[in-house]
Amino acid sequence: MAASKKTTLIGESERTPSAWGERVLALVIAWSAHEPWRIGEVAILARGGGAMLLGRGDDEDKERRLRFFRQRPTGMAPTPAIESPGISRRQLTVEAHDDHVRVEQVGRCPLLVNGERCEGADIVPGDVVQLKRELVLLCVQRAGLILPCRHFPREAVGAFGEPDAIGVIGESPAAWSLREQIGFAAKANTHALLTGESGSGKELAARGIHALSPEKSGPFLGRNAATLPAGLIDAELFGNAKNYPNPGMAERSGLVGEADGGALFLDEIGELPTELQSHLLRVLDNDGEYQRLGEARARRSSFRLLAATNREATALKHDLLARFSSRVELPPLSERREDVPLLARHLLLRAAKKSPELAERFLAVGKDGRRDARLTAELVEYLLRAPLAANARDIDGLLWRAMAESTGEVLELPASLRRESIPSQRTSKTSEEHPEPPSEDKADPSAEEIREAMRAAENSVTKAARALGLSSRFALYRLFTKYGIERDDADG
């Protein structure tokens, strides 16, 4: 089933006084057993707007339903109602407050929050909500509106959830901000410094800057700056004349000369000793002027230096730092957790191209013709909550480990990781937690017991639900539907 192609900005009737111009609480679909194409869709929650209902199917009873959208700079594209067969039509109630979201189970599909079975919970950004074996949602705090792109070209934008033209993956506001930074740096045509944690994609971003720049047809050279030897750094960077410094030495252009008309990417420039960083100053200042070793005449190279470091920018020599007019800061996955499932799918597809015999069995072709990854909810939840200190590298390593241990056609969380406890940033406040899932065979109260409880509670649904031992008034509403009890009948 394909998502609606209609894209609209949220109408005034759907806005709240502050929701769309500020950071808001939201639920993002991270996994769906029956609708994998929905990964990345978001439901933005209005604080103080009252409870909304999450469930299967359309809004036939006119209750306030939780709506999911594909949020992009072009606006909010509404998507169809959830159709997972294991989810009840009235499954969860969701209510946003100032600093948390209250979720309560109404339907029959078991509710888990951060891996623990419960009937209800107060969740905060970073918490994972699972409707057992049906749907995984991630609670996040994000911009209510993604601003239109001014610098990232429209033609480079990919399909929802897919890599764009330069390989960036993600639908979070942080991912779109990164695209804008890359687009600006490409247009600026100045030397650029890229900062970010290990595995956050600095080389990918550097290649993206080059690919979107006017010099995209020129060369792109990459070198780890930490490997430049102290005694030979000038020869490596600027080259040498023939027979210099020793007879028989071949002429070399050096990295700067070879990058003429294109870009030179120096990774880990923060590992270059301070005294060696000064060797770059003159060539960055004087329109690319440099000299090969053993030559008296000056040469010029029309190149752009793209440098990357996982250290703070201020760790660089201050006068070298001043030469970088453009800066690109890559967010770690800890700041865009909602993109983790999309990245995991992409990495599994990449693994299938590299090693089809190992990875192909974990892929399936959906109704829309797109290939999707077959992952268990448990594996996705682990990825959403794991530290991921090395960012994409940690995801890639875990997927390969899972491929080695999974015996079926669905990628499972390795058994050794199931025994590990994931460090939690906080503990959700849950109500009626169940260390062990309760028996699914527990009998519901009968229709007559419900009517009697309503009479004894003087028609208070909340009091009647409590007297019947139900989790909430919404569980009683579900039983009204099950037995075909009209409210007037129940109240009577």
Short mmCIF file of all heavy atoms in Angstrom, two decimals, residues 422-471:
data_model
loop_
_atom_site.label_atom_id
_atom_site.label_comp_id
_atom_site.label_asym_id
_atom_site.label_seq_id
_atom_site.Cartn_x
_atom_site.Cartn_y
_atom_site.Cartn_z
N ILE A 422 20.38 -2.45 28.44
CA ILE A 422 20.73 -1.20 27.79
C ILE A 422 20.68 -0.08 28.83
O ILE A 422 19.67 0.08 29.50
CB ILE A 422 19.76 -0.88 26.64
CG1 ILE A 422 19.74 -2.03 25.63
CG2 ILE A 422 20.13 0.42 25.95
CD1 ILE A 422 18.70 -1.86 24.56
N PRO A 423 21.77 0.67 28.98
CA PRO A 423 21.72 1.78 29.93
C PRO A 423 20.59 2.73 29.58
O PRO A 423 20.49 3.22 28.46
CB PRO A 423 23.10 2.46 29.75
CG PRO A 423 23.96 1.42 29.12
CD PRO A 423 23.05 0.58 28.28
N SER A 424 19.70 2.96 30.52
CA SER A 424 18.55 3.82 30.27
C SER A 424 18.84 5.23 30.74
O SER A 424 19.40 5.43 31.81
CB SER A 424 17.31 3.28 30.98
OG SER A 424 16.21 4.12 30.76
N GLN A 425 18.47 6.22 29.91
CA GLN A 425 18.67 7.60 30.29
C GLN A 425 17.66 8.01 31.37
O GLN A 425 17.86 8.95 32.09
CB GLN A 425 18.50 8.51 29.07
CG GLN A 425 19.55 8.24 28.01
CD GLN A 425 19.38 9.13 26.80
OE1 GLN A 425 18.45 9.92 26.75
NE2 GLN A 425 20.26 9.01 25.85
N ARG A 426 16.59 7.30 31.45
CA ARG A 426 15.58 7.58 32.48
C ARG A 426 14.68 6.38 32.61
O ARG A 426 14.75 5.43 31.84
CB ARG A 426 14.77 8.84 32.11
CG ARG A 426 14.23 8.85 30.69
CD ARG A 426 12.91 8.19 30.50
NE ARG A 426 11.90 8.91 31.21
CZ ARG A 426 10.65 8.49 31.35
NH1 ARG A 426 10.29 7.36 30.81
NH2 ARG A 426 9.76 9.19 32.01
N THR A 427 13.86 6.37 33.61
CA THR A 427 12.91 5.28 33.81
C THR A 427 11.51 5.82 33.64
O THR A 427 11.10 6.75 34.33
CB THR A 427 13.06 4.67 35.22
OG1 THR A 427 14.39 4.21 35.38
CG2 THR A 427 12.09 3.52 35.40
N SER A 428 10.77 5.26 32.70
CA SER A 428 9.41 5.72 32.47
C SER A 428 8.55 5.40 33.69
O SER A 428 8.71 4.37 34.33
CB SER A 428 8.81 5.03 31.24
OG SER A 428 9.53 5.36 30.11
N LYS A 429 7.64 6.28 33.99
CA LYS A 429 6.69 6.05 35.07
C LYS A 429 5.52 5.27 34.48
O LYS A 429 4.73 5.80 33.71
CB LYS A 429 6.22 7.38 35.65
CG LYS A 429 5.24 7.21 36.82
CD LYS A 429 4.80 8.56 37.34
CE LYS A 429 3.80 8.40 38.48
NZ LYS A 429 3.32 9.71 38.97
N THR A 430 5.44 4.01 34.84
CA THR A 430 4.39 3.17 34.29
C THR A 430 3.38 2.82 35.37
O THR A 430 3.67 2.83 36.56
CB THR A 430 4.96 1.87 33.70
OG1 THR A 430 5.64 1.16 34.74
CG2 THR A 430 5.94 2.17 32.59
N SER A 431 2.21 2.47 34.93
CA SER A 431 1.17 2.03 35.86
C SER A 431 0.82 0.60 35.56
O SER A 431 0.77 0.19 34.40
CB SER A 431 -0.08 2.92 35.73
OG SER A 431 -0.61 2.85 34.43
N GLU A 432 0.62 -0.17 36.62
CA GLU A 432 0.23 -1.57 36.49
C GLU A 432 1.21 -2.33 35.62
O GLU A 432 0.86 -2.99 34.65
CB GLU A 432 -1.19 -1.70 35.94
CG GLU A 432 -2.23 -1.00 36.81
CD GLU A 432 -3.63 -1.29 36.36
OE1 GLU A 432 -3.89 -2.38 35.83
OE2 GLU A 432 -4.49 -0.43 36.54
N GLU A 433 2.52 -2.24 35.98
CA GLU A 433 3.53 -2.97 35.23
C GLU A 433 3.40 -4.47 35.47
O GLU A 433 2.96 -4.90 36.53
CB GLU A 433 4.94 -2.49 35.63
CG GLU A 433 5.21 -1.06 35.20
CD GLU A 433 6.62 -0.64 35.56
OE1 GLU A 433 7.30 -1.42 36.25
OE2 GLU A 433 7.02 0.46 35.16
N HIS A 434 3.83 -5.24 34.49
CA HIS A 434 3.76 -6.69 34.59
C HIS A 434 5.15 -7.25 34.27
O HIS A 434 5.54 -7.29 33.11
CB HIS A 434 2.75 -7.27 33.58
CG HIS A 434 1.36 -6.78 33.80
ND1 HIS A 434 0.53 -7.28 34.76
CD2 HIS A 434 0.65 -5.81 33.17
CE1 HIS A 434 -0.64 -6.66 34.73
NE2 HIS A 434 -0.59 -5.76 33.77
N PRO A 435 5.93 -7.70 35.27
CA PRO A 435 7.23 -8.30 34.97
C PRO A 435 7.09 -9.47 34.01
O PRO A 435 7.91 -9.69 33.17
CB PRO A 435 7.72 -8.76 36.36
CG PRO A 435 6.99 -7.87 37.33
CD PRO A 435 5.65 -7.62 36.70
N GLU A 436 6.02 -10.21 34.17
CA GLU A 436 5.70 -11.29 33.23
C GLU A 436 4.37 -10.95 32.59
O GLU A 436 3.44 -10.52 33.28
CB GLU A 436 5.62 -12.64 33.94
CG GLU A 436 6.93 -13.11 34.54
CD GLU A 436 7.98 -13.39 33.48
OE1 GLU A 436 7.60 -13.76 32.35
OE2 GLU A 436 9.17 -13.25 33.78
N PRO A 437 4.25 -11.15 31.26
CA PRO A 437 2.97 -10.84 30.61
C PRO A 437 1.83 -11.59 31.28
O PRO A 437 1.93 -12.79 31.55
CB PRO A 437 3.18 -11.32 29.16
CG PRO A 437 4.66 -11.28 28.98
CD PRO A 437 5.24 -11.64 30.31
N PRO A 438 0.74 -10.92 31.58
CA PRO A 438 -0.40 -11.61 32.19
C PRO A 438 -1.03 -12.58 31.20
O PRO A 438 -0.84 -12.48 30.00
CB PRO A 438 -1.37 -10.47 32.51
CG PRO A 438 -1.02 -9.39 31.54
CD PRO A 438 0.46 -9.52 31.32
N SER A 439 -1.75 -13.51 31.73
CA SER A 439 -2.39 -14.50 30.88
C SER A 439 -3.34 -13.83 29.91
O SER A 439 -4.14 -12.98 30.29
CB SER A 439 -3.16 -15.50 31.75
OG SER A 439 -3.96 -16.34 30.93
N GLU A 440 -3.21 -14.17 28.64
CA GLU A 440 -4.11 -13.62 27.63
C GLU A 440 -5.52 -14.23 27.74
O GLU A 440 -6.45 -13.79 27.09
CB GLU A 440 -3.55 -13.90 26.23
CG GLU A 440 -2.22 -13.23 25.94
CD GLU A 440 -2.35 -11.72 25.90
OE1 GLU A 440 -3.38 -11.22 25.46
OE2 GLU A 440 -1.40 -11.04 26.34
N ASP A 441 -5.63 -15.27 28.62
CA ASP A 441 -6.90 -15.96 28.74
C ASP A 441 -7.77 -15.37 29.85
O ASP A 441 -8.83 -15.89 30.15
CB ASP A 441 -6.68 -17.45 29.03
CG ASP A 441 -5.95 -18.12 27.87
OD1 ASP A 441 -6.15 -17.68 26.72
OD2 ASP A 441 -5.18 -19.05 28.12
N LYS A 442 -7.32 -14.29 30.50
CA LYS A 442 -8.11 -13.69 31.56
C LYS A 442 -9.47 -13.27 31.01
O LYS A 442 -9.55 -12.54 30.03
CB LYS A 442 -7.37 -12.48 32.13
CG LYS A 442 -8.11 -11.81 33.27
CD LYS A 442 -7.32 -10.63 33.79
CE LYS A 442 -8.09 -9.91 34.89
NZ LYS A 442 -7.33 -8.75 35.41
N ALA A 443 -10.52 -13.71 31.68
CA ALA A 443 -11.88 -13.49 31.16
C ALA A 443 -12.29 -12.05 31.38
O ALA A 443 -12.03 -11.45 32.42
CB ALA A 443 -12.85 -14.44 31.84
N ASP A 444 -12.95 -11.48 30.37
CA ASP A 444 -13.53 -10.15 30.50
C ASP A 444 -14.81 -10.26 31.32
O ASP A 444 -15.47 -11.32 31.33
CB ASP A 444 -13.88 -9.59 29.12
CG ASP A 444 -12.64 -9.20 28.34
OD1 ASP A 444 -11.65 -8.81 28.97
OD2 ASP A 444 -12.69 -9.28 27.10
N PRO A 445 -15.18 -9.19 32.02
CA PRO A 445 -16.48 -9.21 32.71
C PRO A 445 -17.61 -9.35 31.69
O PRO A 445 -17.50 -8.93 30.54
CB PRO A 445 -16.52 -7.86 33.43
CG PRO A 445 -15.54 -7.00 32.70
CD PRO A 445 -14.47 -7.93 32.22
N SER A 446 -18.68 -9.95 32.12
CA SER A 446 -19.81 -10.17 31.22
C SER A 446 -20.58 -8.87 31.02
O SER A 446 -20.40 -7.89 31.75
CB SER A 446 -20.75 -11.22 31.80
OG SER A 446 -21.36 -10.73 32.99
N ALA A 447 -21.48 -8.87 30.03
CA ALA A 447 -22.30 -7.69 29.77
C ALA A 447 -23.16 -7.33 30.97
O ALA A 447 -23.31 -6.16 31.33
CB ALA A 447 -23.17 -7.92 28.54
N GLU A 448 -23.70 -8.36 31.64
CA GLU A 448 -24.53 -8.09 32.81
C GLU A 448 -23.72 -7.51 33.96
O GLU A 448 -24.16 -6.62 34.69
CB GLU A 448 -25.24 -9.38 33.27
CG GLU A 448 -26.24 -9.17 34.40
CD GLU A 448 -27.28 -8.10 34.08
OE1 GLU A 448 -27.75 -8.03 32.93
OE2 GLU A 448 -27.60 -7.31 34.99
N GLU A 449 -22.46 -8.02 34.13
CA GLU A 449 -21.60 -7.49 35.18
C GLU A 449 -21.27 -6.02 34.91
O GLU A 449 -21.18 -5.21 35.84
CB GLU A 449 -20.30 -8.31 35.26
CG GLU A 449 -20.50 -9.69 35.88
CD GLU A 449 -19.25 -10.53 35.79
OE1 GLU A 449 -18.48 -10.38 34.80
OE2 GLU A 449 -19.02 -11.36 36.71
N ILE A 450 -21.12 -5.69 33.64
CA ILE A 450 -20.83 -4.30 33.28
C ILE A 450 -22.02 -3.41 33.62
O ILE A 450 -21.88 -2.33 34.21
CB ILE A 450 -20.48 -4.20 31.78
CG1 ILE A 450 -19.12 -4.87 31.52
CG2 ILE A 450 -20.45 -2.74 31.32
CD1 ILE A 450 -18.75 -4.96 30.07
N ARG A 451 -23.22 -3.86 33.25
CA ARG A 451 -24.42 -3.06 33.54
C ARG A 451 -24.60 -2.87 35.05
O ARG A 451 -24.95 -1.78 35.53
CB ARG A 451 -25.65 -3.72 32.93
CG ARG A 451 -25.67 -3.72 31.40
CD ARG A 451 -27.00 -4.23 30.86
NE ARG A 451 -27.04 -4.16 29.40
CZ ARG A 451 -26.72 -5.15 28.59
NH1 ARG A 451 -26.35 -6.32 29.11
NH2 ARG A 451 -26.78 -4.99 27.29
N GLU A 452 -24.34 -3.93 35.81
CA GLU A 452 -24.49 -3.85 37.27
C GLU A 452 -23.46 -2.88 37.85
O GLU A 452 -23.77 -2.08 38.75
CB GLU A 452 -24.31 -5.24 37.88
CG GLU A 452 -24.40 -5.26 39.41
CD GLU A 452 -25.73 -4.74 39.94
OE1 GLU A 452 -26.77 -4.95 39.28
OE2 GLU A 452 -25.72 -4.12 41.03
N ALA A 453 -22.22 -2.94 37.35
CA ALA A 453 -21.17 -2.05 37.83
C ALA A 453 -21.50 -0.60 37.52
O ALA A 453 -21.25 0.31 38.33
CB ALA A 453 -19.83 -2.43 37.22
N MET A 454 -22.09 -0.36 36.34
CA MET A 454 -22.47 1.00 35.97
C MET A 454 -23.58 1.53 36.88
O MET A 454 -23.56 2.69 37.30
CB MET A 454 -22.92 1.04 34.51
CG MET A 454 -21.78 0.94 33.50
SD MET A 454 -20.71 2.39 33.51
CE MET A 454 -21.81 3.63 32.85
N ARG A 455 -24.54 0.67 37.23
CA ARG A 455 -25.61 1.10 38.13
C ARG A 455 -25.05 1.41 39.51
O ARG A 455 -25.41 2.43 40.12
CB ARG A 455 -26.69 0.02 38.21
CG ARG A 455 -27.59 -0.07 36.98
CD ARG A 455 -28.80 -0.94 37.25
NE ARG A 455 -28.42 -2.35 37.36
CZ ARG A 455 -28.40 -3.20 36.33
NH1 ARG A 455 -28.71 -2.78 35.12
NH2 ARG A 455 -28.05 -4.46 36.52
N ALA A 456 -24.14 0.53 40.00
CA ALA A 456 -23.57 0.74 41.33
C ALA A 456 -22.70 1.99 41.38
O ALA A 456 -22.59 2.64 42.43
CB ALA A 456 -22.74 -0.48 41.74
N ALA A 457 -22.06 2.33 40.24
CA ALA A 457 -21.19 3.50 40.18
C ALA A 457 -21.95 4.76 39.80
O ALA A 457 -21.32 5.80 39.55
CB ALA A 457 -20.05 3.25 39.17
N GLU A 458 -23.27 4.66 39.78
CA GLU A 458 -24.12 5.80 39.42
C GLU A 458 -23.71 6.39 38.07
O GLU A 458 -23.55 7.60 37.91
CB GLU A 458 -24.06 6.87 40.52
CG GLU A 458 -24.60 6.39 41.86
CD GLU A 458 -24.53 7.45 42.93
OE1 GLU A 458 -23.79 8.44 42.75
OE2 GLU A 458 -25.22 7.29 43.96
N ASN A 459 -23.49 5.47 37.11
CA ASN A 459 -23.21 5.81 35.71
C ASN A 459 -21.83 6.43 35.48
O ASN A 459 -21.56 6.97 34.41
CB ASN A 459 -24.29 6.74 35.15
CG ASN A 459 -25.66 6.11 35.20
OD1 ASN A 459 -25.79 4.89 35.10
ND2 ASN A 459 -26.68 6.92 35.39
N SER A 460 -20.93 6.35 36.46
CA SER A 460 -19.56 6.84 36.26
C SER A 460 -18.72 5.73 35.63
O SER A 460 -18.49 4.68 36.24
CB SER A 460 -18.94 7.26 37.60
OG SER A 460 -17.55 7.47 37.44
N VAL A 461 -18.29 5.96 34.39
CA VAL A 461 -17.51 4.95 33.67
C VAL A 461 -16.19 4.69 34.40
O VAL A 461 -15.74 3.54 34.51
CB VAL A 461 -17.25 5.40 32.22
CG1 VAL A 461 -16.39 4.37 31.49
CG2 VAL A 461 -18.57 5.58 31.48
N THR A 462 -15.56 5.74 34.90
CA THR A 462 -14.28 5.57 35.59
C THR A 462 -14.42 4.70 36.83
O THR A 462 -13.63 3.78 37.06
CB THR A 462 -13.71 6.95 35.97
OG1 THR A 462 -13.51 7.72 34.79
CG2 THR A 462 -12.38 6.81 36.69
N LYS A 463 -15.45 4.99 37.65
CA LYS A 463 -15.66 4.20 38.87
C LYS A 463 -16.03 2.76 38.53
O LYS A 463 -15.59 1.81 39.18
CB LYS A 463 -16.75 4.85 39.72
CG LYS A 463 -16.33 6.18 40.34
CD LYS A 463 -17.48 6.75 41.18
CE LYS A 463 -17.08 8.08 41.80
NZ LYS A 463 -18.18 8.68 42.59
N ALA A 464 -16.84 2.57 37.49
CA ALA A 464 -17.24 1.22 37.10
C ALA A 464 -16.05 0.42 36.62
O ALA A 464 -15.90 -0.77 36.95
CB ALA A 464 -18.32 1.29 36.02
N ALA A 465 -15.19 1.05 35.83
CA ALA A 465 -14.00 0.36 35.33
C ALA A 465 -13.11 -0.08 36.49
O ALA A 465 -12.58 -1.19 36.50
CB ALA A 465 -13.22 1.28 34.38
N ARG A 466 -12.97 0.81 37.50
CA ARG A 466 -12.16 0.47 38.66
C ARG A 466 -12.77 -0.70 39.43
O ARG A 466 -12.07 -1.61 39.87
CB ARG A 466 -12.01 1.70 39.56
CG ARG A 466 -11.00 1.53 40.69
CD ARG A 466 -10.91 2.78 41.56
NE ARG A 466 -10.50 3.93 40.76
CZ ARG A 466 -11.23 5.03 40.62
NH1 ARG A 466 -12.41 5.12 41.21
NH2 ARG A 466 -10.79 6.03 39.90
N ALA A 467 -14.09 -0.68 39.58
CA ALA A 467 -14.77 -1.75 40.31
C ALA A 467 -14.65 -3.09 39.60
O ALA A 467 -14.61 -4.15 40.24
CB ALA A 467 -16.24 -1.39 40.52
N LEU A 468 -14.58 -3.04 38.27
CA LEU A 468 -14.48 -4.27 37.48
C LEU A 468 -13.04 -4.77 37.35
O LEU A 468 -12.79 -5.81 36.75
CB LEU A 468 -15.06 -4.03 36.08
CG LEU A 468 -16.59 -3.85 36.01
CD1 LEU A 468 -17.00 -3.28 34.65
CD2 LEU A 468 -17.30 -5.17 36.29
N GLY A 469 -12.09 -3.99 37.90
CA GLY A 469 -10.69 -4.39 37.83
C GLY A 469 -10.05 -4.13 36.49
O GLY A 469 -9.03 -4.76 36.15
N LEU A 470 -10.61 -3.21 35.71
CA LEU A 470 -10.07 -2.88 34.40
C LEU A 470 -8.99 -1.81 34.53
O LEU A 470 -8.92 -1.08 35.52
CB LEU A 470 -11.18 -2.38 33.47
CG LEU A 470 -12.31 -3.38 33.22
CD1 LEU A 470 -13.42 -2.74 32.39
CD2 LEU A 470 -11.78 -4.63 32.51
N SER A 471 -8.13 -1.73 33.51
CA SER A 471 -6.97 -0.83 33.58
C SER A 471 -7.37 0.64 33.52
O SER A 471 -6.70 1.48 34.11
CB SER A 471 -6.00 -1.13 32.43
OG SER A 471 -6.64 -0.95 31.17
#
